[in-house]
Amino acid sequence: MKINNQDIIKSIDDYIKGNLDERKTDELWVKLLEHPEYYDLLKTEAALKKNRDNKFLRDDIIKWKPGKKRKMTWAAGLAAVLVIGLLLGLIRLVFKPDDRPVLSEIPVRNLASPEIARSDANAMSDFDMALLQAFTYSVYGDTERAKEIYNELLQDNHSSSVLHYNLGILHYNTGDYRSSSSEFTRANCNDLSGRNLVASCYWFSANSLLAIGDIDRARHMAQKTVEMESSYQKEAFELLNRME
Amino acid sequence: MYMDNAKLVNAIKNGFSRSFEDVYFETFEILCSYLRSTMRADVPDAEECAQHALVKTMERVQQDAIRDPDRIYSYMLQSAKNRYLRLRYEQNRSNFQDDMEAYAPIDEQIDALVSRDEENALEECLDHLPEESRTFIDYWLEFPDSRASDVAEQFRISVNNVWTRKHRILKKLSDCIGKKLNQ
């Protein structure tokens, strides 16, 4: 929806002054999505305010108060794994362990987009362009075309964690679990950018390894998932329980 | 780049193209900035949720499942926000606070919006403004709570002109900052 220039400038002014409630703030951001040229103006006005505030304070430096940091719970996760291990070691299970994968398929929204900053978009290499193309085909459901592009890149000796991770997902969703687990291994999950992506990689890897019957490595990947804070932590706990 | 809702829907449906690629990256950046400033999301979480929203929107467009294409950007924003709220809830499950404020105070939002490099670039760009523009913008900064009518009276121009002039100066500063950062 085209809007009046003045309206958005006034909204930005109100926003910077702290006069917008959450609903109005969201409305402004929607306008910025529709008209990205005003996003830069918002940042400029924000910078002006900071500039003014810096000049009027006694101290020259303003420390931004960080938001609530998540507590490090990796130790808690590890402790929980150890406790579960001990308990399971003490109990003789009557039931046969359940080592089926949890995931029947991996939703494509878990694909990793190429790590290309906006400022670099105009200088994208052929490799980055191909990665983006493959990513887009994957999202559109043209899995075969996406796999073709990724495999062409591999044959040309290109490699990246994102490429292997995405191929792992595509193979999983076409039932080729052996190729899937191989790609997740080659992705080297720790090399991916961002905690959530790393956790996803561990979790999907655990499922693909289970699917090919590699129980020990699947357990290891499930444990790595448990150690990280993520939306998969609970499922990974439950999987470890089932597997013993 | 301005792309209205209908054009965005068509760009997604028509598949990979240069114009879609530009929209994708711009939208991704703005969604990340929204989450980082209003909700204090860290960079990895903001990127994950922004991408989730974009991909989900693309899927729904492909399936013709967007009920109101005119609100596609609104859908994207809410999708990113909901994804982040869910992430935050899952991660803080053990110590979820009922009185946790949803949006950061405006000063924190502004801090998150502006990098140190942008601040430094602005300082230099302010020095390059013509005197008349510098006087005008200094007045806004000196009296931040003043209304447009006060500014109009001060500079003996119409209220409409106040906004037009401010827009022009902000655009000039913004372009200047962009050039300095890309050097």
Side-chain angles (χ1 to χ4, degrees), chain A residues 3-22:
Chain A
I3 51 158
N4 186 296
N5 284 344
Q6 260 193 35
D7 287 343
I8 201 165
I9 293 291
K10 286 178 191 172
S11 287
I12 290 173
D13 186 70
D14 277 331
Y15 173 70
I16 297 294
K17 287 174 178 166
N19 294 337
L20 298 186
D21 60 18
E22 285 179 18

Side-chain angles (χ1 to χ4, degrees), chain B residues 117-180:
Chain B
D117 287 344
E118 284 162 337
E119 279 185 76
N120 293 338
L122 173 70
E123 281 275 5
E124 293 177 30
C125 292
L126 279 169
D127 289 338
H128 293 141
L129 272 183
E131 192 181 328
E132 193 186 343
S133 299
R134 185 67 198 259
T135 307
F136 183 87
I137 212 71
D138 278 347
Y139 184 87
W140 275 101
L141 296 176
E142 183 95 20
F143 305 103
D145 295 327
S146 52
R147 295 169 300 183
S149 54
D150 299 329
V151 180
E153 194 181 320
Q154 173 71 22
F155 290 93
R156 297 201 178 101
I157 54 178
S158 69
V159 169
N160 269 346
N161 247 338
V162 164
W163 294 114
T164 304
R165 198 181 281 196
K166 189 178 185 193
H167 181 191
R168 205 169 54 231
I169 295 170
L170 283 177
K171 179 86 175 64
K172 199 172 264 190
L173 286 171
S174 172
D175 290 344
C176 174
I177 291 169
K179 282 191 187 121
K180 288 206 180 285

Side-chain angles (χ1 to χ4, degrees), chain A residues 22-39:
Chain A
E22 285 179 18
R23 187 177 65 83
K24 290 278 183 199
T25 297
D26 281 359
E27 283 176 13
L28 172 60
W29 279 94
V30 170
K31 284 180 196 164
L32 297 178
L33 284 167
E34 291 172 346
H35 302 270
E37 66 274 22
Y38 286 96
Y39 170 64

Side-chain angles (χ1 to χ4, degrees), chain A residues 15 17 26 52 111 118, chain B residues 29 42 51 103 109 141 144:
Chain A
Y15 173 70
K17 287 174 178 166
D26 281 359
R52 179 194 79 95
L111 290 163
R118 178 185 178 214
Chain B
E29 180 178 345
D42 61 22
Q51 190 193 301
Y103 281 25
Q109 292 188 41
L141 296 176

Side-chain angles (χ1 to χ4, degrees), chain A residues 200-215:
Chain A
S200 299
C201 185
Y202 286 141
W203 179 234
F204 300 151
S205 179
N207 276 269
S208 64
L209 288 162
L210 266 182
I212 62 171
D214 193 338
I215 306 300

